[in-house]
Structures are given as C-alpha cells and as structure tokens.
Amino acid sequence: MRARALSRRPEVRLTELGFGAAQGGNLYRATTDEEFGSAVDTAWEAGVRYFDTAPHYGLGLSERRLGVALRNRPRDEYVVSTKVGRLLVPSPQDAHLRDSDGFDVPARHRRVWDFSRDGVLRSIEASLDRTGLDRVDVVYLHDPDDHWEWAAREAVPALVDLRDQGVVGAIGAGMNQSAMLARFVRETDVDVVMCAGRYTLLEQGAADDLLPAAESRGVGVVIAGVYNSGLLSRDRPPADAVYNYQQAPAELIERARRIAAVCETYGVTLPQAALAFVRRHPAVVSTVVGVRNGPQAAEAVRRSEAVVAEELWDALVAAGLLAAPPGQRDGLHLG
C-alpha cells in the first residue's frame, strides 16, 4: 500500500488508507478484544501502517487495545496518531454508569477539557502509558472548536516544543469543521490536520478554505468521516441512513442515491467512489476509515483498491451532484 510523506515532516509517512480505532473503544456498541485484534491483523496484512486513536475513544480503551495489537510489530514500520485536549479524570462514583458520549464502556473516568501546556504533557504521558508505546508519531488537538485561543496560544506551542525535542513526530488538529482547521493551518506551525466529514463525495466545504490553505503551506490533510457518518457507506443508502451522527434528511438520502446510481453506471459502488474522490486532492495524504473487526477491515481495503474512471467525476458534476473544484467552476472539463 502506498504511503505519503508529510511535506513538513518527511520522516512521517502515512499510508493512503488509515485505520480508525474509535470502534476499538466500543463506539456505539461493544467490541471484543478478539474482534479488534482481528481488525488490526487484517489491516496490517493488507499493508495499512497508519493507525489513529484518542483518549476520548472509550475513555482510553481504544488506546489500550491498539497498543496491545501493535506490541509485537516492528515499531519503525507503523505510524500512530493520538489526540490531546480531553484529560481523563478518575470518577469512581460513576463506575456503575455507562459512558454518555457514545461509547459502551463504564463511566470510570470523566473527560475534562484542557489545552494548557501541562494538560498537553499529561495527556501524552497518559497515552504513552495506555498504549505502551515509546513515542507517538502524530499528535492532534482534539475538537478545539470552543477553545481557539487556549489551544492556539498554549497547546500548539507545547506541541511545537515536543516536536522540536523529538518526542513527537508531527503535530496538528482534528475537527469536524474546516474553517477553524484552515485557521490553524494559516496561523500556527502545524504539519498535518484531520478533517472529519467536511470533504466527502456528498459535501466539499473544505475545498473552499482548508484544502487551498493546506496546499499552499505544505500541510498534509487526513480525511476522516469519508462516509458522512454512514450515509455513503452502503452501495444504496437505506431510508434510515445516518448523516452527521443523526438520522439523515430525506433530501440528502435521495441525493446520495442519485450519486450511487451514477457510480453504478461506471462500475463502482458508492463507498468505493467516496474513498477514491477524496484521494484526488493533492493536499490529502491519507483517508482514515473506522473498522471494528476483520471483515470490516478487509472490506475497507477492498473499497480503497477500486479503480475509478476519471469520467465519473465529470458525470457527477454534469448531473449537479458534485461541485467542480474552485478553480474549475467556470464550466471547464474536470479530469
């Protein structure tokens, strides 16, 4: 599987398909250790070498499971990214409850926002302890939407120091929006950003702000949420499809079905096209897909390997189902 180096940190190379480990934290429902281990094994055998996790995912469970799954593999052969901004604070009084943030785990800890220098250092130290790794290759600020000043003035400089000391390989931010990510790219010294759901086959808002900024400054972009929380994950979206973690509006389901129909005429499925589309932009270095078990990992790899005709994108633009790139919105041919 091909890997791309970060322009600002060429020693950090991300495979074009990345492994999203949120399901390893029991996202929405329980996942067994065996299922998650099988997912990592399958992805590894297919050549995936980029793995993304976070303390937020299952209150540390994802980090612990990923560390176990990678423990006996050559450390220099893979890249791990984790995130800072939410400290996990013990909450024994709530241990009898379940986590309220979408993960099927006991609420033995609570998340506390902290983008201070001390918070960053404590978070990374805790992540290293949970994973058992000797280093973290990429560290993202996790969802700093309501904390721009705090994150930009304290967390980013702390990460820059750690990067300069060689403690981490590359730094950035991960969010479900593109506007603030573009601001991080323009105003801070980040190497890579993770954008979830805002650059997909269904919506391309990041093409107007984040992607041009990243390309001009040599910052890599990792795309997550490529299926828009599920709406683009099936060959034909069902009536109960999810978009942005909620029931998808009827008009969006219909639009996704129309996109799927055009894809079928070119011999590819909607999920295959969703993965292929985001990789076309030169700023995109990797696409992270969440997987829960071996079969899901195998399916993600199969989808990522599909060959998609360039003419498909022209057909979608002509049908009014895909926006032309910003520099080509005068009616010029795509390709």
Side-chain angles (χ1 to χ4, degrees), residues 269-304:
T269 66
L270 181 63
Q272 288 173 334
L275 282 170
F277 171 73
V278 299
R279 286 200 303 265
R280 299 175 72 240
H281 197 285
V284 174
V285 295
S286 182
T287 303
V288 168
V289 176
V291 294
R292 190 179 299 276
N293 51 42
Q296 286 187 6
E299 179 67 9
V301 171
R302 185 186 69 81
R303 288 173 173 178
S304 73

Side-chain angles (χ1 to χ4, degrees), residues 81 119 137 148 185 228 257 295:
S81 59
D137 304 289
W148 161 260
V185 168
N228 282 121
R257 287 173 174 172

Side-chain angles (χ1 to χ4, degrees), residues 119-141:
V120 167
L121 297 176
R122 289 168 57 196
S123 183
I124 293 176
E125 182 178 7
S127 291
L128 291 173
D129 183 62
R130 283 189 289 267
T131 60
L133 298 175
D134 61 341
R135 68 180 187 277
V136 177
D137 304 289
V138 181
V139 177
Y140 298 109
L141 305 176

Side-chain angles (χ1 to χ4, degrees), residues 136-324:
V136 177
D137 304 289
V138 181
V139 177
Y140 298 109
L141 305 176
H142 201 179
D143 298 334
D145 303 67
D146 298 325
H147 307 284
W148 161 260
E149 292 293 337
W150 197 8
R153 291 184 179 179
E154 295 191 44
V156 172
L159 289 177
V160 168
D161 287 346
L162 293 174
R163 182 191 62 196
D164 292 348
Q165 295 167 22
V167 177
V168 301
I171 63 172
M175 306 177 71
N176 290 286
Q177 61 154 294
S178 62
M180 189 177 288
L181 285 178
R183 190 175 178 188
F184 274 110
V185 168
R186 291 192 299 263
E187 300 181 29
T188 72
D189 186 17
V190 296
D191 310 302
V192 59
V193 294
M194 177 178 284
C195 180
R198 305 288 78 84
Y199 187 65
T200 71
L201 193 55
L202 193 63
E203 56 177 289
Q204 297 90 50
D208 294 322
D209 46 27
L210 172 61
L211 293 176
E215 190 173 10
S216 67
R217 291 182 59 85
V219 172
V221 177
V222 173
I223 298 296
V226 68
Y227 300 136
N228 282 121
S229 301
L231 183 52
L232 303 179
S233 66
R234 301 189 188 181
D235 295 0
R236 280 300 180 105
D240 62 349
V242 173
Y243 167 78
N244 265 9
Y245 313 106
Q246 299 177 346
Q247 167 66 41
E251 60 271 19
L252 276 184
I253 294 176
E254 177 58 27
R255 183 160 171 248
R257 287 173 174 172
R258 291 177 61 199
I259 294 173
V262 176
C263 290
E264 288 175 5
T265 66
Y266 285 86
V268 296
T269 66
L270 181 63
Q272 288 173 334
L275 282 170
F277 171 73
V278 299
R279 286 200 303 265
R280 299 175 72 240
H281 197 285
V284 174
V285 295
S286 182
T287 303
V288 168
V289 176
V291 294
R292 190 179 299 276
N293 51 42
Q296 286 187 6
E299 179 67 9
V301 171
R302 185 186 69 81
R303 288 173 173 178
S304 73
E305 292 175 342
V307 178
V308 179
E310 283 293 309
E311 291 77 12
L312 169 61
W313 318 121
D314 293 316
L316 290 172
V317 171
L321 297 170
L322 179 65

